Each structure stands twice: as C-alpha cells, then as structure tokens.
C-alpha cells in the first residue's frame, strides 16, 4: 500500500448533528461524544474529521464525497433537533456505499420509533409494557384505572419528561387530553405507556466476532425519593446537575446473590433485542423490573451515548474496557452489507 492509499484508509468522518446556538444540554452532549470518539480514533491511528449533518442531504453527500473517508463514525441523533429524521443519515450512507459504525438504517428507524419498536418486541415475544396510541384510545370506551407515562414517539434523552411524567387518567378521553397538552413538548408525537413500578436497569451490548458482548448490568437507584414522587429518570435526572433528581439517581453495578437469576434473565432479553432488531456495533437496552421480578423492556437504544460520563462508558469500564477499546470494537463491527470493511 502506497502513502496515498494508506492515508485514505485512515481517514474517518465523525458525523454529528449540526447544533443550534444555545442548544439544550442533551444536544450539547453530542460534542462531548465527538471529542471522545475523535481522541480514541486518533489513538488507533486514524485521522478523524468532524462533519455536521443537516436535513440538506445533497450538501451532506457533497461533504462526504469530498472527505472520501474509509468509513463514517455515525453519532447523528437527530437532524435540526428532530429525532424522526435520524434514519436518513445511515440510509444516505447505504446509498453511497460508505461503511459506517453502529446500527443500519432499518434498525435505527425501528428502535427510534418507540411504538414501532414495541410492535417488533411483541412479535418477537420480548416483554414490553402495554401502551396506547391516539388512534387506539379513540376506539376505546373505557380504560382500566392505572398509571401511565406519556412519552415522545421519536425523541430520546428523556426529552419532555418531568416531575409529572406519571399520570392517572380517568378514562380514554382524559388520557387523550393529557397527550394533546404534552404533544408539542414531546416533539410533536407521543403515546402512553403503562407505568411499571419497580427497579430500573440498563444493559449495554458491544459488537463481537460472532455475538455481542453484554456489559455488566447497571441499576439506577432512586435514593431518598419522597413518597408519591415518581421514580423515573426524567430530563432533570439526566441533564440538570443542580437538581434533586440528578443528585439522587445513582448508577450501581453491585448486586446481591439473590439477583443472579434476574440478571441472567436481563442478559437473555437484551440479546434477544439485539437479534430482533438486527443491531450492530453497540446498543443499550433499558428495563423496568416489576414487583414480581418480571423484566419489561422500555426502550432499545441503537448507537447509545458514548460520552465519558454516560452509562455505556461506565458499564464498559466495569468490564475492563476503556474508551479506546470500546471504539476499537465498534469500528471492527463496521461494514456495508455485501461489502465488508477491508
């Protein structure tokens, strides 16, 4: 391989969302991810270049062709702040036959649309809490009295979830009214998911030679939450360092022996999610475990956050894998269908 060919093989584009001035903390996190990945790629001998993605796909195509990368490290979580466009970037990369890290366009779409994801899980026999959409509620005359969380269909990072996340509707019409009031803060589309009172777990998966490696499970513990306060990882718990929620939701990797069977069950379900959605590279599965010890999958996150303070990095560290090791494994699991990375 001559010098020019060697340099071309080391060129990598890191794709992130173009951030607006004064953007929210969850959007700013994209820059921390990009810095982390860029440092790791440089340590591995690559030459990373940052490229911002917008809904102008023709412009993005020109930028990618000009950069001529060996592959793209895809960190795009939205386009112009809209999660519903997230799958357009990997779809464009497929069209251009540029290898890229993480899940493919289909898996990104199916995991990002939370209602669609639930349908896939139900078809695969993966337990996920019951849910109502606007269309299903319009057909109902009655609704069992129970708690729901009204969530965004597309947006992630607990966008729109606050202290009032858990609701107790008096019937279908009441729940529809609640959903309509919260629709805009939740990104324009929302649904209601049955609230599971219990414990919360995250399991990270990292691509491997023949099957993904399941990272050590993490439990999110709600410490000193007063009676009546919903135990939910809402927006403040994730992003507002000055809040009660941020200070009192602690990640733990320590478990009693009595949890051994539950942890085995969580790992098996996480692997089933990986297979059901055809994931690649890395992923995170979020669970609630009810008071009877039954796990329920809340969300499957393709291409989860790789920031140094995020849960994925913490779980990898528990497994003895540093940031460079994580990026090395993600890159190794990169391919275009029918054209493996050489």
């Amino acid at each position: 391989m001559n010098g020019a060919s060697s340099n071309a093989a080391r060129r990598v584009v890191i794709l992130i969302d173009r951030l607006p001035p004064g953007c929210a903390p969850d959007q700013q996190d994209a820059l921390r991810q990009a810095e982390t990945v860029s440092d790791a790629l440089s340590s591995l001998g690559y030459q990373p270049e940052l490229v911002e993605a917008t809904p102008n796909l023709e412009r993005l195509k020109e930028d990618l062709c000009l950069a001529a990368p060996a592959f793209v490290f895809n960190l795009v979580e939205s386009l112009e702040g809209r999660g519903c466009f997230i799958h357009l970037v990997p779809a464009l990369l497929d069209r251009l036959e540029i290898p890229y890290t993480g899940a493919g366009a289909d898996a990104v779409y199916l995991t990002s649309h939370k209602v669609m994801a639930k349908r896939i899980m139900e078809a695969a026999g993966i337990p996920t809490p019951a849910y109502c959409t606007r269309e299903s509620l319009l057909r109902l005359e009655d609704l069992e009295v129970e708690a729901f969380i009204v969530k965004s269909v597309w947006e992630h990072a607990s966008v729109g979830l606050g202290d009032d996340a858990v609701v107790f509707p008096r019937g279908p019409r009441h729940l529809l009214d609640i959903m309509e009031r919260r629709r805009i803060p939740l990104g324009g589309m929302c649904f209601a998911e049955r609230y599971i009172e219990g414990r919360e777990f995250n399991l990270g998966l990292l691509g491997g030679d023949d099957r993904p490696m399941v990272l050590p499970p993490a439990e999110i513990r709600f410490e000193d939450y007063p009676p009546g306060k919903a135990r939910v990882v809402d927006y403040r718990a994730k992003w507002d360092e000055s809040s009660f929620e941020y200070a009192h939701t602690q990640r733990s990797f320590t478990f009693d022996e009595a949890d051994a069977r539950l942890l085995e069950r969580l790992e098996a379900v996480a692997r089933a999610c990986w297979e059901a959605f055809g994931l690649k590279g890395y992923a995170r599965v979020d669970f609630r475990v009810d008071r009877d010890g039954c796990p329920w999958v809340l969300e499957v996150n393709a291409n989860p956050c790789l920031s140094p303070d995020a849960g994925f990095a913490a779980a990898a560290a528990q497994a003895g894998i540093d940031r460079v090791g994580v990026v090395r494994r993600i890159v190794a699991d990169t391919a275009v269908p029918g054209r493996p990375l050489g």
Side-chain angles (χ1 to χ4, degrees):
M1 182 181 293
N2 61 34
S5 298
S6 177
N7 286 336
R10 311 313 291 178
R11 282 201 296 268
V12 181
V13 161
I14 301 173
L15 265 183
I16 65 168
D17 324 9
R18 174 169 293 176
L19 303 178
C23 61
D26 62 287
Q27 294 175 301
Q28 295 172 21
D29 194 58
L31 293 177
R32 286 191 289 273
Q33 282 196 81
E35 291 172 359
T36 301
V37 170
S38 180
D39 290 346
L41 288 170
S42 296
S43 297
L44 293 169
Y46 291 104
Q47 300 166 8
E49 174 187 352
L50 195 66
V51 172
E52 295 179 325
T54 74
N56 186 341
L57 298 184
E58 190 62 34
R59 174 61 184 274
L60 179 56
K61 175 184 172 183
E62 293 172 1
D63 290 345
L64 290 170
C65 290
L66 183 63
F71 65 92
V72 165
F73 206 108
N74 179 28
L75 296 178
V76 173
E77 297 180 343
S78 66
L79 293 178
E80 287 192 341
R82 301 294 300 274
C84 60
F85 297 142
I86 187 173
H87 60 289
L88 296 180
V89 168
L92 176 65
L93 295 170
D94 283 338
R95 178 68 182 85
L96 298 175
E97 296 191 352
I98 297 176
Y100 56 94
T101 59
D106 290 349
V108 168
Y109 177 84
L110 292 172
T111 53
S112 298
H113 191 298
K114 299 185 185 71
V115 173
M116 194 71 74
K118 283 180 164 291
R119 291 171 182 160
I120 298 290
M121 287 189 276
E122 288 174 338
I126 296 169
T128 186
Y131 65 98
C132 300
T133 62
R134 180 179 184 277
E135 290 73 24
S136 66
L137 286 169
L138 288 171
R139 295 192 296 269
L140 291 178
E141 295 182 356
D142 197 8
L143 189 67
E144 288 187 21
V145 178
E146 57 181 333
F148 289 88
I149 297 183
V150 179
K151 305 170 85 171
S152 173
V153 169
W154 284 105
E155 306 306 328
H156 55 89
S158 296
V159 168
L161 289 185
D163 204 31
D164 59 352
V166 178
V167 299
F168 299 86
R170 296 186 294 274
R173 293 291 171 183
H174 187 206
L175 185 52
L176 275 170
D177 290 344
I178 295 171
M179 290 169 61
E180 182 57 29
R181 288 198 300 272
R182 300 186 180 189
R183 182 174 62 81
I184 299 303
L186 289 168
M189 295 176 64
C190 62
F191 69 106
E193 179 182 75
R194 185 167 68 88
Y195 174 62
I196 303 294
E197 182 69 56
R199 301 166 69 183
E200 180 147 339
F201 294 82
N202 309 139
L203 267 72
L205 299 104
L206 194 53
D209 295 333
D210 53 355
R211 64 192 308 228
M213 173 185 184
V214 180
L215 300 177
E219 180 174 8
I220 306 301
R221 293 180 176 164
F222 302 90
E223 297 181 346
D224 301 323
Y225 266 47
K229 182 175 178 59
R231 299 184 174 213
V232 173
V233 183
D234 63 13
Y235 192 85
R236 284 180 296 193
K238 285 187 176 178
W239 305 108
D240 183 356
E241 296 182 9
S242 66
S243 69
F244 171 90
E245 291 81 0
Y246 188 95
H248 291 82
T249 48
Q250 301 296 321
R251 184 183 301 117
S252 175
F253 294 96
T254 303
F255 299 98
D256 297 332
E257 289 185 11
D259 285 325
R261 292 188 63 182
L262 169 63
L263 299 182
E264 289 176 2
R265 175 64 174 150
L266 294 177
E267 178 176 333
V269 175
R271 289 190 184 280
C273 290
W274 181 279
E275 295 299 325
F277 289 96
L279 297 168
K280 286 187 67 65
Y282 58 121
R284 193 191 71 239
V285 182
D286 298 340
F287 292 89
R288 294 285 284 206
V289 174
D290 66 24
R291 289 170 171 168
D292 294 326
C294 298
W296 301 85
V297 176
L298 301 181
E299 293 179 18
V300 178
N301 301 272
N303 307 349
C305 180
L306 294 174
S307 291
D309 56 351
F312 197 91
Q318 288 289 317
I321 305 173
D322 63 13
R323 298 170 200 170
V324 175
V326 168
V327 169
R328 180 189 290 114
R329 289 184 65 119
I330 292 172
V331 170
D333 202 26
T334 300
V336 166
R339 199 182 72 163
L341 185 65

